[in-house]
Amino acid sequence: MRTIAALLLAFLMVSSGESFAQKKDYQVACVGFYNLENLFDTIDDPNKRDEEYLPGGKRKWSKARYEDKLFNMAHIISLMGKNGVQEGVSILGVSEIENRRVLEDLVQQSPIKNRNYQIAHFESPDKRGIDVGLLYNPDHFKLLDQKKYKYQPLKENGDTLYTRDQLLVSGLLFGDKVHVIVNHWPSRYGGEKKSRPNRNGAAAVTRSIADSLLKDDANAKIFIMGDLNDDPINESVKKVIGTKASKKKVQGGLFYNPWENLYKNGIGTLAYRDSWNLFDQILLSNPLVHTKGGFTYLKSEILREKFMFTENGRYKGYPKRTFSFDNYVGGYSDHLPVFVYLVKEK
């Protein structure tokens, strides 16, 4: 609490030139994203490839394991933003969820039940049956609208790649109108280079959504968030979305990416072959960085508690997953959650 409070005060002093005696009253909010890594229920859905997450499947998924997974995810969510905002994250994008029901079960878990999180969600055509969604604290955020956007490119053999829909949620965050685009772009299956066009295509859909919002309102405050399956330096993020690592260079329709410099310094949200990727990102439109009045960006964080990491063995130091291969270890997710703090004068 002291760390964020000190940063907040320093930020305000530098930006406004106020003395300690003149300091005003400010509102701080937290917006986050978390890949929940295969949050499946135990019910067979004939329209989804959920066989391994059934009691008779190879992972021996059970009610007890499902409930443990729910609690673990809720525990992590309860910690997001708590160092700066007592009520925690106000808006949380999520990915790798099977359906709305798992979100309904998630928000009833004891670590976050008292926040009364509400749900924005649509079913996606993804063959594995995983969707994106959004949780929001109704005391902080008033939902105005939600829409979904499809991206279904063709494979080399002419078949359709059924991937996750993109979710656009618009509403009022403590009275400030904001838009959140939640993504889970196509994977790197088959190799990064071969699969790159699919992520560039998904990014183009996201960029189109953002452009429509900016056409209606040049001062639109837009968060692009998700598991992008690309790092901050990749073409889909840098060129297609149009991001900058420096706030000073964010102009017009460009987006600020606070994660790029972290990635260049070897920090990430998931580990693969003994190196770190930073696929989980929250990008902020120009008005969230420079506009005076209403919320502006303050700080970004990756939640990295010691218990979230594997303690020994081949994958020591990697995020502790629910399964290590097909062996149940009762961890959390293979991704670390990310979040940003925003500030505005009350």
Side-chain angles (χ1 to χ4, degrees):
M1 189 72 178
R2 290 181 180 177
T3 301
I4 298 299
L7 284 168
L8 172 58
L9 183 57
F11 169 84
L12 296 169
M13 301 292 280
V14 170
S15 63
S16 66
E18 294 179 63
S19 69
F20 279 84
Q22 294 171 321
K23 67 177 186 283
K24 301 177 182 178
D25 194 11
Y26 294 93
Q27 174 78 60
V28 182
C30 181
V31 174
F33 174 80
Y34 193 17
N35 180 323
L36 303 181
E37 195 197 14
N38 296 322
L39 181 55
F40 281 80
D41 60 28
T42 61
I43 300 171
D44 185 15
D45 186 333
N47 297 316
K48 297 180 179 181
R49 296 175 181 171
D50 60 356
E51 294 81 7
E52 63 181 320
Y53 285 95
L54 296 175
K58 68 176 183 179
R59 293 194 167 180
K60 298 180 177 60
W61 200 232
S62 64
K63 181 180 179 182
R65 289 183 174 183
Y66 173 56
E67 290 177 347
D68 284 346
K69 172 78 170 180
L70 289 169
F71 182 87
N72 286 350
M73 297 294 90
H75 180 206
I76 299 300
I77 293 169
S78 74
L79 300 177
M80 295 176 67
K82 285 297 290 293
N83 285 335
V85 185
Q86 186 175 3
E87 301 85 0
V89 63
S90 296
I91 301 172
L92 178 67
V94 293
S95 68
E96 290 202 21
I97 55 167
E98 184 181 8
N99 48 40
R100 185 183 182 92
R101 173 185 169 172
V102 300
L103 292 181
E104 291 172 346
D105 291 342
L106 174 63
V107 300
Q108 292 301 311
Q109 299 300 301
S110 58
I112 58 175
K113 186 175 181 178
N114 64 350
R115 298 182 185 179
N116 192 32
Y117 280 126
Q118 302 299 296
I119 299 166
H121 168 264
F122 293 102
E123 281 289 329
S124 290
D126 180 88
K127 289 298 184 181
R128 284 193 57 227
I130 53 174
D131 311 327
V132 300
L134 184 135
L135 306 179
Y136 62 92
N137 186 327
D139 291 336
H140 302 176
F141 180 79
K142 179 183 178 181
L143 179 70
L144 296 178
D145 194 19
Q146 56 180 313
K147 299 176 182 177
K148 66 176 181 178
Y149 295 82
K150 292 187 179 299
Y151 174 59
Q152 298 181 352
L154 295 178
K155 302 177 185 178
E156 289 184 350
N157 63 5
D159 292 341
T160 300
L161 175 64
Y162 294 100
T163 188
R164 280 74 60 178
D165 290 344
Q166 299 185 20
L167 173 65
L168 169 63
V169 177
S170 302
L172 301 177
L173 176 61
F174 293 106
D176 241 25
K177 189 171 185 180
V178 298
H179 309 275
V180 185
I181 309 172
V182 188
N183 296 272
H184 187 182
W185 291 350
S187 75
R188 294 187 169 195
Y189 181 78
E192 187 278 327
K193 184 176 181 179
K194 183 178 180 180
S195 61
R196 187 184 304 163
N198 292 332
R199 286 183 300 284
N200 287 351
V205 172
T206 308
R207 182 70 239 194
S208 177
I209 299 169
D211 285 341
S212 294
L213 294 169
L214 291 168
K215 183 179 179 181
D216 291 339
D217 178 7
N219 293 313
K221 294 186 174 182
I222 307 167
F223 300 92
I224 294 174
M225 64 169 62
D227 175 357
L228 307 185
N229 271 307
D230 265 339
D231 291 309
I233 62 170
N234 288 128
E235 184 178 15
S236 61
V237 181
K238 289 290 291 182
K239 294 184 177 180
V240 182
I241 296 297
T243 62
K244 295 293 183 180
S246 168
K247 288 187 287 186
K248 293 180 180 179
K249 294 181 179 180
V250 178
Q251 301 174 354
L254 296 177
F255 279 75
Y256 175 52
N257 192 342
W259 315 99
E260 183 173 338
N261 289 329
L262 289 176
Y263 173 72
K264 289 178 179 178
N265 288 325
I267 298 171
T269 56
L270 70 158
Y272 181 68
R273 293 183 176 177
D274 296 331
S275 64
W276 284 90
N277 292 102
L278 211 163
F279 290 172
D280 307 271
Q281 300 167 53
I282 302 173
L283 316 176
L284 302 98
S285 65
N286 182 6
L288 279 166
V289 179
H290 296 304
T291 301
K292 293 183 179 180
F295 278 116
T296 53
Y297 168 82
L298 174 62
K299 189 177 185 295
S300 57
E301 285 192 23
I302 301 171
L303 187 65
R304 302 177 63 90
E305 298 289 344
K306 183 177 180 181
F307 66 84
M308 296 168 64
F309 295 88
T310 302
E311 295 180 354
N312 49 55
R314 177 182 174 185
Y315 297 105
K316 182 179 179 179
Y318 284 38
K320 187 177 181 180
R321 309 176 61 168
T322 304
F323 287 90
S324 178
F325 295 97
D326 292 327
N327 299 314
Y328 181 74
V329 294
Y332 302 88
S333 171
D334 57 340
H335 291 246
L336 302 176
V338 295
F339 50 95
V340 297
Y341 291 108
L342 311 167
V343 63
K344 72 172 180 177
E345 185 179 330
K346 285 186 178 178

